[in-house]
Amino acid sequence: MKLQKKIESWCKDENFMHYVQERVRKEMCESTDSHRIDPEYEKLDEGFEYEDKYIVPLVAYLTYKLRLAVVQRNARKRKRGIWWVLVHVEMQGHYVKVFAADFEPLLAELREAFLPMLHTEYIQTLNGKSE
């Protein structure tokens, strides 16, 4: 619950939210790691194009990939994994809203993994440190 309150306070900071938007844009447009081909995801995504019933296994797979990333000991691999999930959720576009009930638990977990990571990055940037 403490993390939720921290996240809420971070989201009130306009400068931080601007930083978040810029980092997501940069990751979506410039990073090749976040767009690497994952055959299992590709299969589920392709199935979803033809039948809505594939949304449940697709979300389950994204949740699995997020949890796998979060427990990763290597910080660089953990960040790359979290970014990968975020980018692929973003690529689902309006389906995230259409199938909100299915995506809601994943989005909550993603927010708790993603925002603290970005807030640390933001603070390091403010302090003149880079990774």
Side-chain angles (χ1 to χ4, degrees):
M1 196 54 114
K2 288 182 182 181
L3 180 58
Q4 291 293 343
K5 291 196 184 283
K6 284 182 181 180
I7 289 173
E8 285 177 22
S9 70
W10 297 339
C11 290
K12 291 176 184 174
D13 180 355
E14 289 181 29
N15 293 328
F16 173 63
M17 294 310 294
H18 178 71
Y19 179 82
V20 169
Q21 290 174 345
E22 282 301 308
R23 278 293 284 125
V24 171
R25 185 202 57 75
K26 182 178 178 185
E27 200 68 30
M28 293 288 294
C29 298
E30 298 173 15
S31 177
T32 56
D33 284 347
S34 294
H35 302 286
R36 70 183 188 277
I37 296 173
D38 181 329
E40 186 65 27
Y41 174 80
E42 190 173 31
K43 191 185 322 178
L44 291 167
D45 189 43
E46 191 174 301
F48 176 59
E49 285 182 28
Y50 300 107
E51 286 193 56
D52 290 351
K53 70 180 182 179
Y54 282 93
I55 193 65
V56 173
L58 179 67
V59 171
Y61 185 71
L62 288 169
T63 302
Y64 159 75
K65 291 291 278 190
L66 177 61
R67 290 177 182 172
L68 198 60
V70 168
V71 299
Q72 179 65 246
R73 287 186 176 186
N74 182 305
R76 175 170 263 132
K77 289 181 180 178
R78 181 175 49 251
K79 289 177 183 179
R80 292 284 15 119
I82 293 169
W83 276 115
W84 186 90
V85 174
L86 179 77
V87 166
H88 285 82
V89 167
E90 288 289 323
M91 287 170 51
Q92 289 302 318
H94 76 278
Y95 292 118
V96 174
K97 291 180 181 165
V98 172
F99 296 98
D102 296 308
F103 274 99
E104 194 172 319
L106 170 62
L107 293 175
E109 281 186 51
L110 185 57
R111 180 181 169 131
E112 288 181 6
F114 170 69
L115 285 175
M117 177 182 81
L118 264 188
H119 191 263
T120 299
E121 195 177 294
Y122 173 69
I123 295 299
Q124 288 175 342
T125 302
L126 289 178
N127 292 331
K129 299 176 184 176
S130 62
E131 286 186 67

